[in-house]
């Protein structure tokens, strides 16, 4: 006689609801864990492929510090202080009175100065903290072109001398020191330095002091400059010096592409946490030049430029380079990303320039998605840029150049795509090229030129890279190890 087994399993159709309940409970209680694991897996792919950690953390740091400018509780018009926009009347006093009024409003959130349509001639004037300078459509601030109105200032402490002449230097048209919360913006109004007379006097050696920038802000933080045009600066156009948390966006910066000496577009100098984006720059020198002091003075001052993100630009420089680092980089430059940039009709596209005596370093530099159009030399690293403030520099103070990558570099009409000129004293280390295809105008053999450089080429790079670099396939497997990193095939004849 068979006895019913009371311990026999429950039929399958009875177990399914309980199973589903348990699965649902498990996934619900562990949803956060699965999400974290999925994100970690996703990020690990980027870490493996693109050294993503440094780039991502840098990007997040730059993006996190940006805030939309606050509306000011008080708004003034320049005409409230006697301003006359006829292009003839001098408005320096009106600007000074307006800035003084805003300086009293800091605890209330500051003030905005509206510059209406018109031509507002002025001598140099200073900004104050918690201030918005707003240029309406059709507004033009004109710098007076008589140097007797321009104040003299001490040399920058990290330069020890005027950049062009020993001793003092002229101040900037619009100036600020030790400020916080500065906004210069508008409806594409213009700040015009009327630099033509300055350029002529410089070429004729009629100036006793270094020319002044158009806009210079020093030892300040929380700065936004956007939606205006800067043009015809006497010297460097926009010069943030030893500043932190700077955003420059939606700008047009112009100067003649010849016979406008040293009219750099933007010169971040010993600056930290900076974003430059969505702008057009065509000037008579470097469109952007990242700096950090000059020889022994920069070494002693010791303020690097770091955490700088440059993206979405169209630039031109017939005299110098689209985007430069140096040559004054003695305090160091690190963690710079340059991406989505078109450099057209230029002498050089992207350049790092330095020399013995500079000291400092250039490291952790990423170039990504660059397009060269009608450029004489595409990528340049130069280690013999021998301009010095005086003969007191230490020739044994050599810079360190390392960890520099170039990814997705394309273009046409380029004479020499790459010229990396290291030396036995200043070798260039850990340079990476990946995904490069540049149409060339010369068919000479050595158009990818190298000297004293160590690094690697990953995957397809055209034209053929120099023999100094190791070759890897698309999967980053070593194909050919270089045996000639110190060989030089630099040819300045073309």
């Amino acid at each position: 006689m068979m006895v019913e087994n009371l311990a026999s399993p429950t039929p399958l159709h009875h177990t399914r609801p309980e199973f589903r309940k348990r699965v649902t409970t498990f996934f619900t209680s562990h949803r956060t864990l699965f999400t974290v694991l999925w994100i970690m897996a996703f990020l690990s792919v980027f870490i493996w492929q693109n050294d993503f950690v440094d780039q991502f953390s840098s990007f997040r740091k730059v993006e996190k510090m940006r805030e939309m400018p606050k509306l000011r509780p008080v708004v003034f018009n320049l005409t409230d202080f006697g301003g006359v926009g006829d292009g003839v009347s001098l408005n320096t006093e009106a600007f000074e009175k307006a800035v003084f009024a805003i300086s009293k409003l800091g605890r209330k959130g500051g003030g905005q100065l509206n510059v209406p349509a018109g031509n507002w001639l002025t001598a140099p004037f200073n900004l104050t903290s918690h201030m918005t300078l707003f240029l309406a459509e059709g507004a033009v601030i004109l710098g007076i072109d008589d140097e007797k109105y321009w104040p003299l200032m001490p040399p920058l402490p990290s330069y020890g001398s005027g950049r062009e002449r020993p001793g003092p230097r002229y101040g900037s048209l619009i100036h600020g020191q030790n400020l916080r919360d500065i906004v210069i913006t508008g409806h594409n109004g213009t700040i015009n330095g009327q630099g033509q007379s300055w350029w002529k006097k410089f070429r004729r050696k009629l100036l006793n002091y270094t020319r002044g920038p158009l806009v210079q802000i020093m030892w300040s933080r929380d700065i936004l400059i956007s939606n205006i045009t800067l043009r015809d600066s006497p010297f460097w156009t926009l010069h943030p010096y030893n500043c932190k948390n700077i955003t420059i966006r939606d700008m047009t910066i112009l100067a003649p592409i010849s016979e406008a000496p040293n009219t750099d577009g933007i010169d971040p100098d010993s600056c930290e946490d900076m974003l430059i984006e969505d702008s057009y720059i065509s000037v008579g020198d470097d469109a952007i030049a990242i700096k950090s002091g000059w020889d022994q003075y920069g070494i002693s001052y010791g303020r690097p430029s770091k955490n700088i993100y440059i993206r979405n630009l169209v630039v031109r420089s017939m005299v110098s380079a689209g985007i430069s680092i140096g040559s004054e980089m003695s305090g160091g430059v690190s963690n710079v990303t340059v991406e989505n940039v078109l450099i057209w009709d230029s002498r050089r596209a992207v350049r790092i320039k330095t020399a013995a005596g500079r000291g400092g370093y250039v490291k952790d530099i990423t170039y990504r998605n660059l397009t060269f159009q009608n450029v004489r030399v595409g990528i340049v690293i130069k280690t013999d840029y021998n301009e010095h403030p005086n003969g007191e520099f230490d020739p044994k103070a050599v810079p360190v150049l390392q960890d520099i990558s170039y990814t997705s570099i394309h273009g046409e009409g380029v004479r020499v795509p790459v010229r990396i000129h290291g030396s036995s004293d200043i070798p260039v280390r850990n340079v990476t090229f990946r995904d490069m295809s540049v149409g060339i105008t010369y068919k000479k053999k050595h158009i990818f030129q190298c000297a004293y450089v160590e690094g690697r080429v990953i995957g397809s790079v055209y034209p053929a890279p120099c023999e100094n670099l190791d070759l890897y396939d698309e999967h980053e497997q070593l194909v050919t190890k270089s045996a000639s990193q110190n060989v030089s095939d630099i040819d300045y004849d073309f």
Side-chain angles (χ1 to χ4, degrees):
M1 175 178 166
M2 293 184 65
V3 179
E4 182 180 2
N5 185 1
L6 298 177
S8 63
T10 305
L12 182 61
H13 69 275
H14 289 156
T15 66
R16 285 174 179 170
E18 181 65 25
F19 175 76
R20 290 173 179 169
K21 181 178 179 182
R22 291 179 180 179
V23 170
T24 301
T25 302
F26 176 82
F27 275 94
T28 301
S29 62
H30 293 75
R31 184 176 299 165
T32 301
L33 175 61
F34 273 95
T35 301
V36 171
L37 290 174
W38 185 89
I39 292 173
M40 289 177 66
F42 179 76
L43 290 178
S44 68
V45 175
F46 280 89
I47 294 168
W48 176 67
Q49 290 185 341
N50 295 314
D51 298 325
F52 183 68
V53 169
D54 290 340
Q55 297 171 14
F56 182 74
S57 61
S58 168
F59 173 79
R60 291 286 298 171
K61 184 174 183 180
V62 170
E63 291 296 309
K64 184 178 179 181
M65 67 191 177
R66 310 294 160 195
E67 295 182 3
M68 291 298 292
K70 299 176 182 178
L71 295 177
R72 306 296 185 188
V74 179
V75 179
F76 298 109
N77 194 305
L78 188 61
T79 56
D80 298 338
F81 301 91
V84 179
D86 59 6
V88 179
S89 302
L90 195 60
N91 292 281
T92 313
E93 185 176 357
F95 278 110
E96 290 174 343
K97 287 181 177 179
V99 172
F100 180 76
I102 293 172
S103 71
K104 303 298 183 183
L105 302 172
R107 293 185 178 181
K108 298 180 180 180
Q112 176 169 312
L113 175 60
N114 287 339
V115 181
N119 295 308
W120 308 89
L121 184 67
T122 182
F125 64 91
N126 294 325
L127 303 176
T128 189
S129 292
H130 311 294
M131 175 180 178
T132 297
L133 178 64
F134 188 95
L135 281 71
E137 183 179 3
V140 180
I141 296 177
L142 291 170
I144 192 167
D145 60 2
D146 188 340
E147 65 266 26
K148 73 181 181 183
Y149 288 92
W150 289 62
L152 288 176
M153 303 183 66
L156 296 169
S158 60
Y159 285 67
S161 173
R163 187 58 182 83
E164 298 174 325
R165 302 280 292 176
R169 60 192 176 92
Y170 288 108
S172 57
L173 179 64
I174 297 178
H175 192 80
Q177 292 186 192
N178 302 304
L179 305 180
R180 296 196 65 169
D181 181 20
I182 300 299
V183 179
I184 304 175
T185 189
H187 290 153
N188 200 31
T190 298
I191 302 173
N192 187 333
Q194 300 199 101
Q196 291 82 358
S197 66
W198 292 92
W199 308 332
K200 291 179 182 178
K201 291 175 182 177
F202 171 76
R203 289 195 299 268
R204 296 174 181 174
K205 303 185 184 302
L206 299 177
L207 296 172
N208 295 320
Y209 308 103
T210 297
R211 292 166 289 154
L214 187 62
V215 179
Q216 184 179 62
I217 300 176
M218 305 171 62
W219 303 303
S220 301
R221 61 177 299 148
D222 306 330
I223 301 160
L224 171 63
I225 303 175
S226 68
N227 294 293
I228 59 173
T229 295
L230 305 178
R231 69 175 308 142
D232 295 346
S233 174
F235 188 56
W236 298 344
T237 303
L238 177 52
H239 185 212
Y241 179 81
N242 201 353
C243 292
K244 187 173 182 178
N245 191 13
I246 314 117
T247 298
I248 300 171
R249 63 161 59 103
D250 298 314
M251 298 289 292
T252 302
I253 301 178
L254 304 172
I257 57 176
S258 64
E259 298 187 352
N262 305 107
T263 50
D264 295 10
I266 304 172
D267 285 6
D269 204 339
S270 295
C271 287
E272 179 178 352
D273 300 338
M274 185 170 186
L275 174 64
I276 303 172
E277 64 178 357
D278 303 328
S279 297
Y280 176 82
I281 306 173
S282 176
V283 289
D285 208 294
D286 296 314
I288 295 175
I290 301 172
K291 304 175 181 293
S292 65
W294 200 10
D295 286 5
Q296 69 270 28
Y297 303 104
I299 295 171
S300 177
Y301 193 65
R303 302 290 195 279
S305 281
K306 60 183 180 180
N307 305 336
I308 297 176
Y309 193 11
I310 300 169
R311 65 185 179 189
N312 307 336
L313 305 182
V314 177
V315 301
R316 177 172 64 161
S317 173
M318 286 293 290
V319 173
S320 194
I323 297 175
S324 286
I325 298 175
S327 70
E328 309 92 330
M329 39 60 66
S330 301
V333 176
S334 66
N335 197 21
V336 175
T337 296
V338 179
E339 68 176 2
N340 302 336
V341 177
L342 167 63
I343 303 103
W344 68 286
D345 282 7
S346 295
R347 187 175 181 86
R348 305 168 190 88
V350 293
R351 176 168 67 165
I352 297 170
K353 47 183 177 176
T354 186
R358 292 287 191 269
Y361 53 82
V362 176
K363 62 182 181 180
D364 301 321
I365 312 298
T366 300
Y367 299 94
R368 185 168 51 238
N369 194 20
L370 306 183
T371 301
F372 307 156
Q373 182 177 332
N374 297 328
V375 172
R376 182 169 181 173
V377 186
I379 292 167
V380 182
I381 299 179
K382 185 176 177 61
T383 59
D384 58 351
Y385 201 86
N386 289 307
E387 291 184 354
H388 303 283
N390 52 48
E392 298 176 8
F393 69 94
D394 179 5
K396 295 181 180 180
V398 294
V400 173
L401 306 180
Q402 65 182 39
D403 305 331
I404 304 164
S405 68
Y406 303 89
T407 302
S408 295
I409 312 298
H410 303 285
E412 60 181 4
V414 178
R415 182 180 292 189
V416 179
V418 176
R419 180 177 283 154
I420 300 178
H421 194 173
S423 68
S424 58
D425 293 328
I426 311 173
V428 182
R429 298 301 188 211
N430 194 25
V431 177
T432 300
F433 290 89
R434 183 199 299 259
D435 180 23
M436 179 173 176
S437 179
V438 175
I440 55 178
T441 59
Y442 275 54
K443 302 297 183 181
K444 289 193 175 185
K445 181 179 179 180
H446 297 297
I447 55 176
F448 195 123
Q449 302 177 8
C450 300
Y452 290 91
V453 56
E454 171 268 320
R456 59 182 182 163
V457 171
I458 300 174
S460 175
V461 167
Y462 178 83
C466 59
E467 298 178 356
N468 308 58
L469 302 173
D470 301 335
L471 302 182
Y472 288 74
D473 64 19
E474 295 286 354
H475 304 290
E476 300 192 24
Q477 299 297 313
L478 180 64
V479 175
T480 305
K481 181 74 173 176
S482 171
S484 56
Q485 295 171 355
N486 296 338
V487 169
S488 176
D489 58 4
I490 302 295
D491 184 356
Y492 284 108
D493 291 335
F494 70 102

